Each structure stands twice: as structure tokens, then as C-alpha cells.
Amino acid sequence: MSVLWSSLLLLVVAFLVLSPLFMLLMNSFETNRLGQAVQIGTDNWWRVFTGARLGEALVNTLSLSFARQSLGMAIGVGIAWLIARTNLPYRNLLEIGFWVALFMPALPVTLSWVLLAAGRSGLLNQLVMQLPFVDKPVFEVYSWWGIVWVHLMTSSIAIKVFLLAPAFRSLDSSLEEAARASGASLFGTLTRIVIPILAPVLLVVFLISMVRSMQAFEVELILGAPKQISVYSTVIFGAMTREPPAQGLASALSIVFIVSIIPLVIAQQWFVGRHSYASISGKFHNRTLDLGKWRWPAFAAISGLLALMTIVPFVLLVISTFMNMFGVFGMDNPWTLDNWDRALFGGEISQALSNTLQLSIGAALVGMVVFSVIAYITAKRDFAGRHVLDFSTWLPTLIPGLVLSLGLLQVFTFFPFLRPLYGSMAVLIIAVLMGTMTIGTQIVKSAIGQVGRELEEAAWVSGGSKFYTFSRIILPLIAPSVAVVGLEIFATANAAVGLIVMLGTGATQPLSVLQLTLLDSGRFEQASVIGVIITTLTVSAAILARTIGQRAGLGRQAATT
């Protein structure tokens, strides 16, 4: 790669990463309404720091995030240890199940729990109220704890298992064997030996998960609105969707949101830099512990949890697509095929499906090429700006998807040379690439780092150019990693809401944004059809990525990234 092309790539990446932040900062001082003459002031910042509702939203954001991550950590640590360190039956299959759960789209899962536990209309509550002395709903998904529960059933537990199982697998089993020989129970071995040893890893995973939690949007919007439970992301969304849009206030809120996340990211990087995670030595033992009589009860408990996270939501979604009225089973004729008829032959959903496939395939193809080039430059080339380029690929992790969507909206409407792209599919593809840049680049970079430099040198000695060496030598060797990245981008693009919600117009609106619109307008039946389609596409891509990754030995690589 020539210095000129590398420099141009650095400028493009830096512009796409930094310009949304710059536009948010600039617009936060604009006090005029959208379309009026620009007025500069500090009113938006004053409202941010003095508004009682905004303070309540920040408290809700932190408390909801801490609650679900604490519960997710407690459950996820136990499950990851059982899968990685014991003779739990079918543990490899269970680990794949949590991978699937990690990629279950948030909105379809939320919709299924609305069907199950939404007040008197919830199927669970209807069944429970048939019991004597039970005359009111027991479960309520439209609540603070309902939000926590749905997050636990989507990614809060699954991501802990995904990230921690490789760490537990690398732990020397002689430490656990010594504890068991000294009379410690399985629970005592876990809490007094395993967890203290892996405390730095656990803390880093907790911090990563807290950052993700604070960026959550869809579940809080659907389940929190009826009970006026606001979080920071939904307040930003509300400011932008009101009439007229309060773009200045939304920008100021976004900057505060980013600043509040930075300490968690700094703490995570500090712990990664200061603590050693080495647990494999020359005397390494990796024997599994015998659960004895607890093997099958543990398997049953974990399988039941996985069913609640994957099978139950999907089955309920499919059932709800055949209902005349969502959640109403007591009608004379509750079942219909009209919802699927509208989905398959109606214009709205068909167009959105076409947009989704264009977005997902386009983002995957572009991402595989761009991320591979970035990874190659940062890992192999002596380009002076490669460290800056590498740092730029990490910056999007600081920006919540909704905030990034707002920032890109302002960028593509402000710069004259970018305005022709506004409202096009290209803008949505750029947003998805921004949201997947960090993980995509790092996975490919890890694979490139395993390719010896002597292969490149042999190609150069034989007269091959740097482009020829990259395309004909490096790229075929890292093809499995690139394929995994492409499938992960495809899955992310299918389910993305916050990343693109501010950017999709009627002509380019994908299924995920259409589903959010339908849910907001109470059209749950058609939203269920979209949920089934999105879930099928996303989970299929995730399983295919997992299969390719395992065959290519990328499981630990993806987890540690």
C-alpha cells in the first residue's frame, strides 16, 4: 500500500470518526429552531445540567445498567465456568446456544416478552390468574424490572458467557484440583479460587458490558415509555423526534453522554494495561472437574435459561404473526394469515426487506475490503500514521449508536459535498461500518498478525508489488477471518436500530427501523412478522460466522478482541 493511499485512508477514517463529534459540539451551542437563523448561546447546556427530567434519565441509565450487568455477571460467570471447566453434558452445544442468544435482535425479543408479560393481556398473567386467589397480573414487562429482565434475556448474560468461557478455559486446573482435595465444594472453589484469580478479567468484562448497557436504546424506548421511564438515549431520541426537533439540545445531551462513558473506557484500558492475564505455563493442566450428581440438573437449568433466551421468544413471535389482535387469545376467531399476506405481497414490508438486504450485503462487502486494508496497514506497513489510524478505529466504541446516527445526520446535512448522499443507502452503510469498525478491524488484524513476514518478502523478491502481495498472498490466508467479519457486519446491519434510526428515510428505511415505527404506532401484528424475518436473517448469519470461526480457530481470537 503506497503512502499516498494510506494517508488518504487515514484522512477518510479520521473525518468519518471525528466530524460527527465536532458537529455535535458545534450544534450544541445553537439555540434556534431547525430552519431558522442561527443563534449561538448556552441555553441547551443550561437545560442539560438543570433539567430535573434529564437528571432522572441519567439516574435510570446508571441504575438499569448496573442492575442488569451485576445480575448478568453473577449468572454469566457461573455458566461460563460450568461450560469451560466442568464435565457439563453437551457443553459445546450450550456455548453455541449463548452465541445465538448474543445475536438475537433486541426488538423482536422485546416484542415476545410483551406478548408474555404485558399486564392483563400477557399470556403468562392470563394463565396465572386462572389460579385461586390470583385476581391481578403477577408480571409486568412495562416496568423498571421488566427492562432489566428483557436485557438479561438478550445480551447481558450471553456476552458474559461469550467473553469469559475462553478465559476460564485457559485457567490451570491444578488450582481447582488442590481446592477440591482440601475439601472445598464446587461453589467454594468457584468463589474462593477461580473468581479471585480472574478478578482483573471479570472487571474488564464488567466495564465493557457497562459501556454497552449505557448505550442501549430500543428496549428502554418500547418498555419504558408507557411508565415514563426515560434513559439518556431515549431522551436524546425524544428531542430529535419532537416537533420541531430540538437538535441543539439533543447535541448537548449527546456530548454529555459520551463524556460520561469515557471514564469506563479509560478504566477498562487501564486494567488491561496493568494486569497480566497469563494462566498457561509450562506445567499447564486443563482437566475438567466432575460435577457428579449435579451434571444433569445443571444442564437442565442452563438449557431452560437458553430456551427462555432463544426458543421461547422466537416461537412466540411466530405465533403472534398469525393473530388478528396481538395478545388477545379470547376472540372468537383469533387467528389469521392476513399479516403474512401483507408482509409478502404488501409494498411497505417488501420494500423494507429489499432495503435491509441491500444495506446488509453492501455493508458486509465494503466492510470486508475496508477493514482488511486498515488491518493490513496497521499490522504490517511502516506507515508513519498507522498508530493514529489504529487509534481512530477504536474511537467509535465511545459513541453510542444513537449519538453516532445523530452526528452523521448533521455531517451529511452540513457539508455541501456530502448533501447529495443524504437519504441514500450509502449513508446507512457508512453508519453500519462505523458501528462495526472496531471489532471488524481487530479480528482481521489478529489474523494478519499470525502471517509471517517472510511470505511477503518472498513475494517482493519475486517481483510482486505490495498490492499483489496483499491480494494474492495475505488475503487468501486470512479469508476465514474476513468471512467472519462480513457475516458479523451482515448480522449487525439486519438488527441495527440506534445506528441508523436518524438516517433512514422512507425510500431507504430498513426492516429494523420500520419495526420500531410499527411498535410505536401500536401495529404489533405486522411488527411481529418483521421480527421473525429479522431474527431469521440475523441468527442464520451468526451461526454461519460461528461455524467458519470455529473451523478456522478464530473462537478465542474473536473473544479476546
Side-chain angles (χ1 to χ4, degrees):
M1 300 294 171
S2 68
V3 174
L4 176 61
W5 286 108
S6 299
S7 300
L8 181 61
L9 180 61
L10 171 59
L11 289 175
V12 171
V13 172
F15 174 78
L16 290 175
V17 171
L18 297 177
S19 59
L21 299 177
F22 175 76
M23 291 303 304
L24 287 171
L25 182 60
M26 295 296 294
N27 285 327
S28 69
F29 292 99
E30 293 187 8
T31 59
N32 55 284
R33 290 187 174 185
L34 191 65
Q36 295 180 346
V38 175
Q39 297 178 3
I40 304 299
T42 58
D43 290 355
N44 296 318
W45 290 96
W46 178 257
R47 292 174 64 186
V48 168
F49 290 110
T50 59
R53 187 183 172 210
L54 299 179
E56 180 184 349
L58 181 59
V59 170
N60 285 336
T61 301
L62 294 173
S63 60
L64 284 167
S65 298
F66 185 80
R68 66 175 178 263
Q69 293 311 323
S70 298
L71 291 171
M73 182 65 75
I75 299 170
V77 165
I79 294 174
W81 180 68
L82 287 169
I83 288 175
R85 306 300 303 151
T86 71
N87 62 342
L88 182 72
Y90 302 106
R91 50 188 180 154
N92 291 331
L93 186 61
L94 293 176
E95 189 171 2
I96 293 174
F98 282 102
W99 170 270
V100 172
L102 179 61
F103 279 90
M104 289 287 287
L107 274 181
V109 173
T110 302
L111 193 58
S112 68
W113 284 103
V114 168
L115 183 66
L116 268 174
R120 291 186 175 274
S121 65
L123 184 59
L124 277 178
N125 288 323
Q126 292 182 29
L127 294 175
V128 172
M129 285 190 293
Q130 300 297 320
L131 300 175
F133 310 112
V134 180
D135 57 355
K136 60 181 181 180
V138 176
F139 308 102
E140 181 53 81
V141 74
Y142 291 111
S143 63
W144 194 91
W145 281 108
I147 295 173
V148 172
W149 173 260
V150 171
H151 273 293
L152 289 173
M153 293 297 103
T154 50
S155 62
S156 293
I157 294 175
I159 194 171
K160 309 300 185 305
V161 178
F162 173 66
L163 292 174
L164 292 176
F168 281 121
R169 209 170 272 123
S170 299
L171 185 67
D172 193 336
S173 61
S174 60
L175 302 171
E176 297 161 292
E177 292 167 0
R180 294 288 287 156
S182 300
S185 64
L186 281 173
F187 181 76
T189 301
L190 175 63
T191 56
R192 300 184 65 180
I193 302 297
V194 177
I195 291 179
I197 292 174
L198 294 181
V201 178
L202 299 178
L203 185 54
V204 168
V205 170
F206 182 81
L207 291 172
I208 293 173
S209 301
M210 278 292 293
V211 171
R212 287 171 57 101
S213 293
M214 292 179 67
Q215 297 175 352
F217 164 65
E218 306 99 302
V219 176
E220 286 78 358
L221 181 66
I222 299 301
L223 301 183
K227 296 300 177 67
Q228 297 184 336
I229 302 172
S230 299
V231 295
Y232 225 75
S233 57
T234 59
V235 172
I236 295 172
F237 181 73
M240 279 303 298
T241 53
R242 71 175 61 169
E243 289 293 339
Q247 191 168 173
L249 176 61
S251 299
L253 288 166
S254 300
I255 294 296
V256 173
F257 200 6
I258 293 171
V259 171
S260 67
I261 290 174
I262 288 176
L264 294 175
V265 178
I266 293 175
Q268 173 210 331
Q269 295 297 320
W270 182 78
F271 268 90
V272 170
R274 283 182 59 90
H275 293 82
S276 172
Y277 304 98
S279 57
I280 301 179
S281 64
K283 298 181 179 179
F284 177 74
H285 299 281
N286 189 21
R287 287 188 289 271
T288 57
L289 293 177
D290 184 11
L291 292 176
K293 63 181 182 180
W294 293 106
R295 289 183 69 224
W296 289 105
F299 171 77
I302 296 175
S303 299
L305 179 62
L306 265 179
L308 284 176
M309 297 170 70
T310 55
I311 298 174
V312 171
F314 188 74
V315 169
L316 285 170
L317 268 179
V318 173
I319 291 174
S320 64
T321 63
F322 296 102
M323 299 191 71
N324 268 312
M325 187 172 293
F326 183 87
V328 181
F329 292 90
M331 299 174 60
D332 292 337
N333 184 23
W335 310 110
T336 182
L337 294 174
D338 289 348
N339 299 318
W340 280 101
D341 183 64
R342 295 191 197 100
L344 297 176
F345 304 106
E348 189 177 36
I349 295 180
S350 299
Q351 180 61 46
L353 175 59
S354 174
N355 291 338
T356 298
L357 293 176
Q358 292 178 50
L359 171 61
S360 303
I361 296 172
L365 293 176
V366 175
M368 286 190 291
V369 175
V370 173
F371 296 163
S372 297
V373 172
I374 294 175
Y376 181 66
I377 292 172
T378 56
K380 291 289 187 180
R381 298 273 52 85
D382 295 327
F383 172 54
R386 66 191 181 95
H387 295 297
V388 178
L389 179 59
D390 191 34
F391 177 75
S392 297
T393 64
W394 282 96
L395 284 178
T397 60
L398 289 175
I399 311 174
L402 183 67
V403 174
L404 180 60
S405 181
L406 174 58
L408 288 174
L409 170 67
Q410 295 173 351
V411 168
F412 280 90
T413 54
F414 177 80
F415 292 98
F417 67 94
L418 291 177
R419 284 175 191 163
L421 293 177
Y422 174 68
S424 68
M425 187 61 65
V427 177
L428 301 186
I429 290 175
I430 289 172
V432 171
L433 294 179
M434 293 286 289
T436 56
M437 180 182 293
T438 304
I439 183 67
T441 303
Q442 295 306 313
I443 288 177
V444 180
K445 184 179 176 182
S446 298
I448 289 177
Q450 298 173 13
V451 179
R453 191 173 179 84
E454 63 272 10
L455 297 175
E456 297 176 275
E457 294 172 348
W460 297 336
V461 169
S462 302
S465 65
K466 291 183 178 179
F467 177 78
Y468 178 90
T469 302
F470 173 72
S471 60
R472 301 295 296 272
I473 304 297
I474 302 296
L475 201 54
L477 293 173
I478 64 170
S481 295
V482 175
V484 168
V485 168
L487 289 167
E488 290 191 354
I489 296 173
F490 182 91
T492 300
N494 272 299
V497 178
L499 268 174
I500 57 178
V501 70
M502 301 287 186
L503 302 169
T505 62
T508 60
Q509 181 176 245
L511 284 172
S512 56
V513 177
L514 176 59
Q515 185 184 29
L516 182 66
T517 303
L518 293 175
L519 289 172
D520 191 49
S521 61
R523 297 160 64 186
F524 283 65
E525 299 82 15
Q526 295 181 50
S528 299
V529 174
I530 295 177
V532 171
I533 298 172
I534 291 176
T535 303
T536 302
L537 290 173
T538 304
V539 171
S540 299
I543 292 175
L544 188 56
R546 173 77 178 190
T547 303
I548 294 175
Q550 280 190 322
R551 290 182 178 178
L554 303 175
R556 181 176 298 176
Q557 171 187 306
T560 54
T561 301

